[in-house]
Amino acid sequence: MALLFGALADDLTGGMELAAMLVAQGVRCGFVTHPSALDALPRDIEAAVIAGKTRVVPAHEAVQAFAEGARALQARGVRQLFFKYCATFDSTDAGNIGPCADVLREMTGARFTAFCPSFPEAGRRVFQGHLFADDMLISESPKRFDPLTPMLDPNLVRTLQRQTATRVGLLPQQVVHAGVQAMRTHVAQLQAAGVGFAIADAAEPDDLAALAALTWDWPLMTGNSSIGAYYPAHWRRNGWLAQAPADQALPPVAGPAVVLAGSCAGRSIEQLRAFALHRPVLWLDMVRALEGADVVGEALAWALPLLEAGPVAIATSADAAEVERVQARAGKLGAAALAEEVLGRLALRLRDAGVRRFVISGGETSGAVLRHLDVNRLVVGAYEGPGVARAVTDDAREARLALCLKSGKLGPADMLLPMLQSMAHGG
């Protein structure tokens, strides 16, 4: 059967969150990390998410990956393509949000689409085109210190316009509040003025519901995962989706458990400190790794004797001063690549040593870990809250793994240990 919805996500954690939101609404949703893995998914799924590691790669590589993913989804007859990016609009003036949206617009023939990064549940809101993190403009929040995609301009119309030749406009909150017909009129006016992209204001869940009512049947839509949760109700009303929700409970997975954290977000460090109140945490020194120390072997030797007593955490996460120290030696991209390589290699050795449950903190880290584990498809469980989505592997060749791929910026402070414990019970 043809897919109702096909999403291309620019990182693993966000892609899993979107899939989990659809699963929670009773949608049979497949999740893969490469377009080639789509063929291994059941033919009766209604949605699919392809989540790649494209957020901070060179723009031409991201565009190529998105084009390949779009072709694969179009081959499955997809009704709507969706570009999923972070609620903090993680990008730079070189991309990759603008260039990837451009190629999808060309491939779908869409004259117009909207950008809806808002995630009110996580405190990310857009008002008059400006992005807020809780009560602060994004440019005044800790996001301004992001080592790879710092947000220094809160005006998303300006931010996106620097990334694309397509003219960018605004779908303001007063129009969103006026209803679907008012929004359609505004969109027609923007199109008449030569605008092809528009930032959509959304400060509350009702705004997301209104925007979903406008966009659920568009050939192309972009945004954070949050708006995706509102689409299944429209599919059901129009007879595209079965009324009875699909049951997609995850099986329990026993065995040793580990947290691997690469995110340097303040919330990630807070979560690791909360974990450390109960179980050991090893903070890896990336300068030593740069100097040739076998930090992977050292971490493995530290972890294995402790796992009999319970989970452990191993982190390359660090505060801003430590990140700057490593970047001074390796550069921004080099420092990030080193941390991802270390945790990816460590994940493989831990898996081979019998670890079966993982929480991976950070979108780029998650991509590196799945690549090293040679995992290209997952069965995703129902959404549990911002940054809290989990999955199991589905490969008869290997023992089943339970995975939580989480955004470094999201999730409760005390989530790490309870998440690992819950994987043993399924759900």
Side-chain angles (χ1 to χ4, degrees):
M1 80 185 259
L3 292 171
L4 299 178
F5 182 87
L8 295 160
D10 66 0
D11 82 336
L12 278 291
T13 60
M16 179 181 279
E17 185 175 66
L18 174 57
M21 286 187 171
L22 295 174
V23 170
Q25 297 298 319
V27 178
R28 290 186 292 269
C29 182
F31 179 92
V32 299
T33 63
H34 192 273
S36 61
L38 276 180
D39 291 339
L41 296 178
R43 301 305 296 182
D44 63 348
I45 60 172
E46 295 141 341
V49 176
I50 302 174
K53 189 173 173 291
T54 60
R55 183 168 294 172
V56 296
V57 302
H60 72 277
E61 293 182 19
V63 167
Q64 182 177 355
F66 267 62
E68 183 181 0
R71 282 193 294 269
L73 290 166
Q74 288 174 329
R76 291 285 295 259
V78 67
R79 286 179 179 262
Q80 181 182 56
L81 282 180
F82 187 89
F83 174 12
K84 193 279 168 198
Y85 40 78
C86 185
T88 49
F89 215 70
D90 290 8
S91 199
T92 69
D93 287 352
N96 293 338
I97 292 178
C100 290
D102 282 331
V103 73
L104 295 181
R105 181 173 178 239
E106 178 182 349
M107 293 181 70
T108 59
R111 290 184 57 207
F112 182 92
T113 197
F115 290 72
C116 183
S118 295
F119 196 176
E121 188 179 0
R124 309 297 186 255
R125 297 175 169 87
V126 179
F127 177 69
Q128 299 303 320
H130 288 68
L131 179 58
F132 288 79
D134 296 316
D135 60 349
M136 294 178 286
L137 287 166
I138 194 70
S139 55
E140 298 172 3
S141 77
K143 178 63 182 170
R144 69 188 188 275
F145 300 121
D146 189 300
L148 296 178
T149 54
M151 282 297 288
L152 305 177
D153 186 351
N155 186 317
L156 296 187
V157 176
R158 287 196 304 250
T159 296
L160 181 59
Q161 192 64 83
R162 290 193 292 269
Q163 301 178 33
T164 176
T166 303
R167 189 173 171 192
V168 182
L170 176 66
L171 184 55
Q173 190 178 59
Q174 63 269 26
V175 177
V176 175
H177 285 183
V180 171
Q181 190 52 55
M183 287 189 282
R184 286 175 178 158
T185 299
H186 187 79
V187 166
Q189 292 169 346
L190 290 174
Q191 287 182 284
V195 173
F197 292 155
I199 301 297
D201 275 358
E204 299 297 337
D206 285 350
D207 298 332
L208 294 177
L211 288 164
L214 173 71
T215 64
W216 68 272
D217 60 348
W218 285 10
L220 174 65
M221 181 57 184
T222 86
N224 185 51
S225 57
S226 47
I227 193 171
Y230 294 88
Y231 286 144
H234 293 282
W235 301 338
R236 284 197 169 91
R237 264 196 299 273
N238 285 270
W240 295 0
L241 190 63
Q243 292 298 319
D247 181 9
Q248 299 181 72
L250 295 181
V253 176
V258 171
V259 175
L260 296 176
S263 169
C264 294
R267 176 47 62 97
S268 285
I269 293 172
E270 185 181 2
Q271 289 165 340
L272 288 165
R273 288 174 177 159
F275 183 92
L277 297 176
H278 306 281
R279 294 295 301 156
V281 177
L282 177 64
W283 302 83
L284 299 181
D285 186 340
M286 288 295 96
V287 170
R288 290 189 65 247
L290 282 170
E291 293 171 346
D294 181 17
V295 296
V296 172
E298 293 170 2
L300 193 69
W302 172 86
L304 292 182
L306 297 171
L307 287 172
E308 290 185 11
V312 300
I314 303 170
T316 60
S317 307
D319 60 21
E322 180 65 14
V323 170
E324 288 177 4
R325 186 170 77 96
V326 179
Q327 288 180 342
R329 297 281 297 272
K332 285 187 177 182
L333 294 178
L338 174 65
E340 292 159 20
E341 179 67 16
V342 164
L343 291 178
R345 287 166 47 211
L346 182 57
L348 179 59
R349 295 185 66 178
L350 287 166
R351 193 275 310 273
D352 291 345
V355 173
R356 294 293 175 258
R357 291 174 285 151
F358 290 91
V359 171
I360 314 298
S361 180
E364 300 300 311
T365 304
S366 295
V369 166
L370 290 196
R371 177 171 55 82
H372 278 82
L373 295 178
D374 193 26
V375 171
N376 59 23
R377 69 181 186 275
L378 292 168
V379 179
V380 178
Y383 176 71
E384 300 176 45
V388 185
R390 50 185 167 141
V392 296
T393 54
D394 183 26
D395 188 339
R397 300 171 302 170
E398 303 282 353
R400 179 177 284 135
L401 303 178
L403 296 155
C404 171
L405 310 183
K406 66 169 294 294
S407 166
K409 299 182 284 290
L410 297 176
D414 62 348
M415 74 165 282
L416 299 180
L417 188 57
M419 173 57 71
L420 290 172
Q421 291 168 339
S422 72
M423 290 172 171
H425 305 294

